[in-house]
Amino acid sequence: MRRFSLISTLGSTGALTDYFDTEKINYCCITGFDLSQTKSFVIGSVRTIECEDGPFEDENISTGLGYLDAINPGDILLVQGSQKWAYFGELMSTISHQRNLAAAIILGKTRDSKFIQDFFPVWSNGYTPVDIKSRGRVKSVGVPLLVEGYEVTEGMMCAADNDGILFFKSLTEIQYQDIEKILLHEQKIKSLISSGKSVKEILKFTDSF
């Protein structure tokens, strides 16, 4: 996470997409998700869990839970869930928080929103109190997931905030440094605005917003 420390503090998905568009870097952007902590911004490596619908006797939760022990601090958990039931809730969030994961993104429903919002950022397609038991199971972990036609594999990067969720391939150290320079430049512009500088004076420092 040291590499992302400045980006995590000052960054946003908007700043990243602006940079990606300028540099013609391919990325996937998905929107319309509920976020448990609306001021959250995270960036980290993707780890995946795939679930499936069905009247299974065993929801195979032990596989999903056990996988959390293999995940590194700062990783982002991406779950292919369901629109019919919730896979992720208070206990999974508590474990993920204890393991120092950055966040969880659920392609489907989650639950226990009353508790999750207090300590762990979770993106989801909404909430339901209905549990996975007898309705679905964990199918596999560490596998590629198809996100709106875009294949997301483990080791790819994810950045997310209340505006949207981005998936992209790892960037070079120079590209990360370029992003940090842009973020620091924007902070300087904000300082000029806060200090009461005129638009003419601000435009002497930057040629665009």
Side-chain angles (χ1 to χ4, degrees):
M1 286 298 290
R2 186 174 182 180
R3 172 192 283 181
F4 311 129
S5 58
L6 183 58
I7 296 177
S8 297
T9 302
L10 303 178
S12 67
T13 54
L16 291 178
T17 55
D18 287 350
Y19 177 75
F20 293 162
D21 290 342
T22 300
E23 298 298 317
K24 294 179 170 52
I25 295 172
N26 187 41
Y27 63 92
C28 170
C29 175
I30 57 177
T31 59
F33 281 67
D34 289 328
L35 171 56
S36 62
Q37 297 176 324
T38 56
K39 293 184 179 181
S40 294
F41 171 78
V42 297
I43 181 170
S45 297
V46 174
R47 305 301 291 266
T48 64
I49 294 178
E50 181 183 20
C51 300
E52 61 180 341
D53 290 314
F56 303 107
E57 292 184 5
D58 181 6
E59 63 268 23
N60 202 19
I61 289 294
S62 60
T63 298
L65 284 172
Y67 194 55
L68 297 182
D69 286 334
I71 294 178
N72 298 317
D75 285 349
I76 295 173
L77 187 65
L78 176 64
V79 179
Q80 179 60 68
S82 172
Q83 301 298 329
K84 301 175 182 178
W85 41 260
Y87 170 72
F88 210 85
E90 181 184 10
L91 297 182
M92 289 287 287
S93 296
T94 302
I95 295 173
S96 298
H97 177 68
Q98 194 273 336
R99 297 292 191 276
N100 292 315
L101 270 65
I105 296 170
I106 315 299
L107 306 175
K109 298 292 179 65
T110 187
R111 70 179 196 172
D112 298 332
S113 58
K114 173 182 176 181
F115 305 100
I116 293 173
Q117 63 185 352
D118 293 334
F119 62 89
F120 190 69
V122 177
W123 283 256
S124 71
N125 291 131
Y127 303 97
T128 177
V130 178
D131 191 52
I132 186 176
K133 290 182 176 66
S134 301
R135 298 181 178 91
R137 69 176 179 183
V138 174
K139 181 180 180 181
S140 52
V141 298
V143 297
L145 298 180
L146 202 61
V147 181
E148 296 188 6
Y150 186 91
E151 186 178 69
V152 178
T153 59
E154 289 211 332
M156 290 184 67
M157 298 300 300
C158 174
D161 58 18
N162 204 40
D163 291 346
I165 302 167
L166 309 177
F167 298 103
F168 52 96
K169 293 183 178 179
S170 295
L171 304 176
T172 67
E173 193 63 39
I174 292 177
Q175 287 172 322
Y176 281 115
Q177 291 173 4
D178 286 344
I179 294 171
E180 289 179 346
K181 290 177 183 177
I182 292 171
L183 294 174
L184 290 172
H185 181 77
E186 290 185 351
Q187 285 298 111
K188 178 61 177 177
I189 295 173
K190 292 177 185 177
S191 296
L192 292 173
I193 294 172
S194 297
S195 67
K197 297 293 184 183
S198 67
V199 172
K200 184 176 181 180
E201 290 175 304
I202 294 171
L203 290 177
K204 288 179 181 178
F205 176 75
T206 183
D207 57 3
S208 65
F209 276 53

